[in-house]
């Protein structure tokens, strides 16, 4: 019997282990990724956040942005903690290594384990025997399916990378599971109150004492703890949680709970609007059609729908996923039309033996389809449509496809699991087959799907190639973010300035990587430091430099050095891959050769190192703050 009880945990470990192997197999096999930064949009910001925590301590977690504004710090705390733990044992771990380890552990272990836990909400109600063969099989298959799509976790590393939001997305399945169990507990409690604090089992018609009311509280505490952790990882994950859970709450909860949640949503929306108006000045808030005015659709509607229904899996696996998804919708449609209680047995793992939980299969089926359709609407709006309606729908996810694209598995995988459990457990479905035969068919189909998705998945492979390419140091594209020449030039610059002197440069030319590479003190450590709050110094510096006036420039930038020397680095034009930054023109003065020459002639800038061998016009200047 002990052996039997260990079968499900053992299969779960095997499934998560295979999923971790898939993630490790996808991760670029090059030593450079452990020693050099990933050259992708927001990557320098995350390296900067980790270094800031290491330099200032945990107090920095409340103001990670260069303008001292708040940014979700959980991912960066974990990476900084790894560096500190390594130092305790006498090892020196780079920021890049720590970031990679945190991403691999959370994406390859925490994510598939979370999807598996979410799937057990339905699979735990299927098996009758102690051995639980169906649950054991699903425990191996589901984690592998969770890392088959190119959407998550791979997308948020290759396109961004969105480390903080990606971590919150990785933790979201746990919050969804706890929420569903809390809904069960609350609804069961209300049902017991209505029936005089007793439980009526439909099968044997006997009245048994209800479970103690205190069993609700563990789920309430779990909801608060797990939800708080997700929000700490990234507050915007609340929108994803709300989108996925809203159908379940509306269909299950009493109208008072729904009304209260609606009130919370309205208050939250109002608070967000107040925050946005205070943080981002704009005259377009009252005109949704003018929001995100630079947005350009990235896919046609048919392309978006194809991506969604295939779970963003290319090749044969994608077509098989589409076919299985359609089949799952047909099965779920059957459940909706014939609302028999398929999963009506007690949870064998319940805290109180014999306890019977409220569980309405038909409502689950409707909620899953509605959540799937809402995700589809969000994805189509974020990729293919323009105007006031898609702007409002996708606003919480920044009106770009990346975040909604990473959410597709949350719509597809629960559908597959629910349909699989329905086929495996409903004796009226395929009555000519035995229960064992039905379960075997389900397991074989899903196993074939999981295996097929690992081969010919070009979309996922392209993301791996993108990451591999973006850690290479070459001079094939001299103007790109970080080339071999820029790597060596920045090393030479920091050798001259040291790590404490302030260096001013256009971050879009790649100079911002001096922070993550050499812990340099760059005035612009990321490409978008923001002007709000303490960020006023950035705009003042830009305007002063653009003025051409010696006195104005010195009066503005010299105090920023805090008694240390102040330098200016000219390192060429902005990288083509960073041209997506809407306000890139704000840095044009930092690569205006005529303006720089004028400051040199006036003695405002004094050349201390000619870097012309790396690129035309490259040089390090000291700002003449001594006079």
């Amino acid at each position: 019997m002990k052996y039997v009880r260990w079968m499900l945990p053992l299969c779960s470990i095997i499934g998560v282990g295979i999923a971790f192997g898939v993630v490790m197999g996808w991760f670029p096999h090059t030593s450079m990724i452990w020693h050099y930064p990933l050259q992708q949009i927001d990557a320098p910001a995350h390296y900067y956040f980790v270094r800031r925590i290491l330099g200032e301590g945990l107090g920095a977690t409340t103001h990670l942005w260069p303008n001292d504004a708040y940014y979700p710090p959980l991912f960066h705390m974990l990476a900084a903690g790894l560096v500190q733990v390594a130092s305790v044992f006498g090892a020196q771990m780079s920021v890049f290594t720590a970031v990679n380890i945190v991403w691999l552990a959370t994406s390859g272990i925490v994510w598939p384990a979370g999807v598996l836990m979410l799937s057990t909400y339905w699979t735990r109600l299927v098996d009758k025997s102690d051995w639980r063969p169906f649950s054991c099989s699903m425990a191996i298959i589901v984690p592998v399916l969770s890392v088959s799509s190119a959407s998550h976790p791979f997308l948020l590393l290759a396109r961004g990378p969105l480390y903080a939001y990606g971590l919150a997305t990785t933790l979201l399945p746990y919050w969804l599971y706890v929420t569903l169990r809390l809904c069960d507990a609350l609804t069961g409690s209300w049902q017991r109150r209505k029936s005089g604090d007793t439980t009526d089992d439909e099968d044997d018609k006997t009245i048994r004492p209800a479970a103690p009311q205190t069993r609700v509280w563990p789920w309430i505490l779990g909801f608060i703890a797990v939800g708080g952790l997700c929000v700490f990882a990234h507050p915007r994950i609340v929108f994803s949680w709300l989108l996925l859970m809203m159908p379940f709450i509306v269909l299950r909860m009493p109208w008072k709970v729904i009304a209260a949640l609606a009130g919370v949503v309205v208050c939250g929306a109002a608070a967000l609007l107040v925050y946005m108006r205070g943080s981002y000045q704009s005259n377009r808030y009252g005109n949704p059609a003018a929001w995100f005015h630079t947005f350009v659709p990235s896919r046609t509607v048919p392309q978006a729908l194809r991506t969604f229904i295939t779970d963003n899996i290319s090749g044969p696996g994608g077509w098989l996923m589409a076919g299985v998804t359609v089949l799952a919708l047909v099965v779920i449609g059957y459940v909706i039309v014939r609302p028999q209680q398929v999963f009506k047995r007690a949870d064998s793992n319940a805290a109180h033996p014999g306890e019977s939980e409220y569980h309405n299969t038909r409502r689950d089926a409707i909620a899953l389809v509605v959540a799937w359709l809402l995700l589809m609407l969000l994805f189509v709006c974020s990729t293919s449509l323009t105007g006031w309606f898609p702007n409002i729908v996708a606003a919480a996810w920044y009106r770009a496809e990346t975040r909604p694209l990473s959410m597709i598995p949350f719509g597809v995988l629960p559908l597959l699991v629910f349909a699989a459990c329905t086929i495996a457990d409903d004796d009226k479905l395929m009555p000519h087959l035995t229960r064992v035969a039905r379960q075997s068919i389900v397991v074989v189909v899903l196993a074939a799907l999981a295996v097929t998705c690992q081969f010919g998945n070009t979309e996922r492979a392209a993301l791996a190639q993108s990451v591999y390419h973006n850690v290479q140091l070459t001079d094939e594209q001299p103007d790109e973010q970080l080339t071999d020449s820029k790597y060596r030039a920045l090393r030479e610059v920091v050798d001259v300035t040291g790590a404490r002197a302030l260096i001013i440069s256009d971050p879009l030319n790649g100079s911002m990587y001096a922070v993550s590479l050499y812990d340099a003190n760059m005035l612009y450590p990321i490409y978008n430091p923001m002007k709000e709050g303490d960020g006023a110094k950035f705009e003042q510096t830009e305007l002063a430099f653009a003025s051409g006036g010696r006195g104005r420039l010195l009066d503005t930038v010299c105090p920023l050095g805090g008694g240390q020397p102040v330098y200016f680095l000219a390192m060429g034009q902005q990288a083509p891959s960073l041209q997506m930054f809407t306000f890139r023109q704000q840095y044009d003065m930092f690569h205006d050769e005529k303006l720089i020459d004028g400051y040199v002639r006036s003695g405002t800038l004094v050349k201390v190192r000619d870097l012309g061998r790396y690129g035309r016009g490259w040089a390090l200047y000291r700002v003449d703050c001594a006079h």
Side-chain angles (χ1 to χ4, degrees):
M1 186 62 68
K2 291 182 179 180
Y3 174 76
V4 171
R5 284 202 299 267
W6 276 101
M7 283 301 297
L8 184 56
L10 177 61
C11 290
S12 300
I13 293 172
I14 293 173
V16 173
I18 296 173
F20 182 66
V22 171
V23 174
M24 286 296 296
W26 174 89
F27 199 69
H29 298 164
T30 171
S31 61
M32 300 187 77
I33 199 168
W34 302 98
H35 303 290
Y36 301 105
L38 179 62
Q39 303 156 42
Q40 255 290 358
I41 310 176
D42 288 333
H46 294 288
Y47 300 134
Y48 164 73
F49 295 155
V50 176
R51 282 201 175 275
R52 188 162 188 182
I53 294 174
L54 289 170
E56 301 179 21
L58 287 178
T61 58
T62 61
H63 53 272
L64 287 181
W65 274 102
N67 68 336
D68 287 336
Y70 176 80
Y71 187 86
L74 181 57
F75 183 94
H76 314 94
M77 291 171 60
L78 295 173
L82 272 180
V83 175
Q84 295 283 29
V85 170
S87 67
V88 170
F89 292 95
Q92 185 174 2
M93 180 182 291
S94 73
V95 169
F96 315 122
T97 299
V99 166
N100 290 340
I101 291 175
V102 172
W103 185 86
L104 283 169
T106 55
S107 299
I109 299 175
V110 178
W111 162 250
V115 175
L116 174 58
M117 174 177 281
L118 179 59
S119 74
T120 63
Y121 180 74
W122 293 283
T123 60
R124 67 191 170 87
L125 301 170
V126 173
D127 289 305
K128 288 183 175 179
S129 64
D130 291 334
W131 182 40
R132 309 186 73 181
F134 179 76
S135 295
C136 288
S137 300
M138 294 294 284
I140 296 175
I141 296 170
V142 170
V144 180
L145 285 176
S146 73
V147 294
S148 296
S149 170
S151 294
H152 187 77
F154 313 105
L155 181 75
L156 298 182
L157 175 65
R159 289 193 195 172
L162 300 174
Y163 285 121
Y165 186 82
L167 176 58
T169 304
T170 292
L171 296 173
L172 183 56
Y174 299 91
W175 195 12
L176 297 176
Y177 175 79
V178 172
T179 306
L180 290 170
R181 296 303 299 266
L182 176 59
C183 288
D184 285 349
L186 289 173
T187 310
S189 176
W190 290 323
Q191 292 292 319
R192 287 191 294 270
R193 290 179 185 177
K194 289 181 179 180
S195 61
D197 200 32
T198 59
T199 300
D200 186 3
D201 191 301
E202 292 183 2
D203 286 341
D204 57 20
K205 300 301 181 182
T206 59
I207 305 297
R208 292 193 298 270
Q213 297 291 332
T214 53
R215 72 174 297 273
V216 175
W217 289 104
W219 295 113
I220 293 177
L221 295 176
F223 174 83
I224 295 172
V226 178
L229 185 64
C230 289
V231 172
F232 186 52
H234 202 293
R236 285 183 181 267
I237 203 64
V238 170
F239 297 107
S240 300
W241 173 86
L242 184 63
L243 182 71
L244 294 166
M245 287 309 307
M246 180 173 59
F248 289 93
I249 294 172
V250 169
L251 289 170
R252 286 187 176 192
M253 297 291 102
W255 69 267
K256 291 182 180 179
V257 175
I258 298 172
L261 180 62
V264 171
V265 171
V266 171
C267 292
L272 178 62
L273 179 61
V274 171
Y275 167 78
M276 294 295 293
R277 292 182 69 91
S279 301
Y280 304 93
Q281 302 300 319
S282 175
N283 57 4
R284 294 192 293 269
Y285 283 106
N287 181 17
W291 297 354
F292 312 105
H293 58 284
T294 60
F295 171 77
V296 177
S298 56
R299 305 170 193 259
T300 64
V301 172
Q303 288 173 339
L305 293 176
R306 182 170 63 250
T307 298
F308 187 85
I309 199 170
T310 60
D311 194 17
N312 196 25
I313 299 171
S314 56
W319 291 109
L320 182 56
M321 175 64 78
V324 174
T325 301
V326 171
L327 179 60
L329 289 170
V330 172
V331 172
I332 293 175
Y334 159 81
V335 174
I336 295 174
V337 173
R338 294 186 60 185
Q340 70 276 17
Q341 298 293 325
V342 178
F343 307 134
K344 61 186 178 182
R345 285 186 300 281
D347 180 3
S348 60
N349 294 327
H352 303 278
E355 174 186 337
S356 182
E357 294 190 348
Y358 174 84
H359 196 83
N360 192 303
T361 306
R362 181 170 184 261
R363 293 181 181 181
D364 278 3
I366 296 173
L368 285 169
V369 173
V370 171
W372 184 75
L373 291 173
L374 288 174
L375 281 174
M376 180 187 294
L377 174 65
L378 171 63
F379 184 62
V380 172
C381 286
S382 66
T383 60
S384 308
L385 304 179
T386 58
W388 67 269
F389 178 74
N391 281 351
I392 293 175
V393 170
W397 292 272
Y398 287 128
R399 191 57 168 106
E401 74 164 38
T402 306
R403 291 171 182 82
L405 185 56
S406 71
M407 295 167 61
I408 293 178
F410 288 98
V412 175
L413 295 181
L415 280 182
L416 299 187
V417 171
F418 183 88
C421 292
T422 300
I423 297 172
D425 196 60
D426 187 0
D427 294 331
K428 296 180 181 179
L429 188 65
M430 301 181 185
H432 57 286
L433 296 177
T434 65
R435 177 182 296 271
V436 173
R438 292 198 309 273
Q439 292 184 359
S440 299
I441 291 173
V442 168
V443 169
V444 169
V445 171
L446 291 183
L449 175 63
V451 172
T452 304
C453 289
Q454 309 314 314
F455 302 96
N457 196 341
T458 57
E459 186 71 25
R460 193 178 63 183
L463 294 178
Q465 185 61 32
S466 173
V467 175
Y468 176 87
H469 174 77
N470 286 326
V471 294
Q472 305 301 311
L473 295 180
T474 70
D475 285 331
E476 293 178 1
Q477 295 176 287
D479 292 332
E480 259 310 335
Q481 296 181 49
L482 187 61
T483 63
D484 183 61
S485 293
K486 289 183 179 181
Y487 176 80
R488 289 184 283 115
L490 291 174
R491 172 74 272 178
E492 191 170 335
V493 166
V494 178
D495 285 342
V496 174
T497 65
R500 298 181 63 186
L502 183 68
I503 306 173
I504 301 170
S505 187
D506 179 354
L508 299 185
N509 64 19
S511 61
M512 58 184 172
Y513 285 98
V515 178
S516 51
L517 284 168
Y518 308 117
D519 202 19
N521 182 19
M522 305 296 300
L523 180 64
Y524 297 90
I526 64 177
Y527 79 94
N528 182 22
M530 300 170 60
K531 303 184 186 306
E532 293 76 19
D534 190 48
K537 63 186 178 185
F538 303 122
E539 183 176 30
Q540 293 166 1
T541 299
E542 294 154 17
L543 295 176
F545 201 99
S547 71
R550 170 184 169 85
R552 182 177 179 181
L553 179 62
L554 296 180
D555 290 342
T556 300
V557 304
C558 290
L560 299 178
Q564 294 291 324
V566 178
Y567 293 87
F568 171 74
L569 172 63
M571 205 170 72
Q573 300 297 310
Q574 297 175 348
S577 60
L578 293 174
Q579 293 300 296
M580 44 69 62
F581 181 44
T582 306
F583 308 106
R584 59 187 177 275
Q585 294 87 354
Q586 71 186 51
Y587 302 126
D588 282 347
M589 71 290 300
F590 294 140
H591 48 81
D592 185 328
E593 294 183 5
K594 292 183 179 180
L595 189 60
I596 294 171
D597 289 343
Y599 281 126
V600 172
R601 286 193 298 270
S602 68
T604 308
L605 298 179
V606 180
K607 183 181 292 186
V608 294
R609 184 62 61 95
D610 190 334
L611 304 172
R613 63 184 178 280
Y614 299 116
R616 189 181 68 84
W618 293 16
L620 176 66
Y621 303 89
R622 187 184 70 251
V623 181
D624 188 28
C625 293
H627 295 84

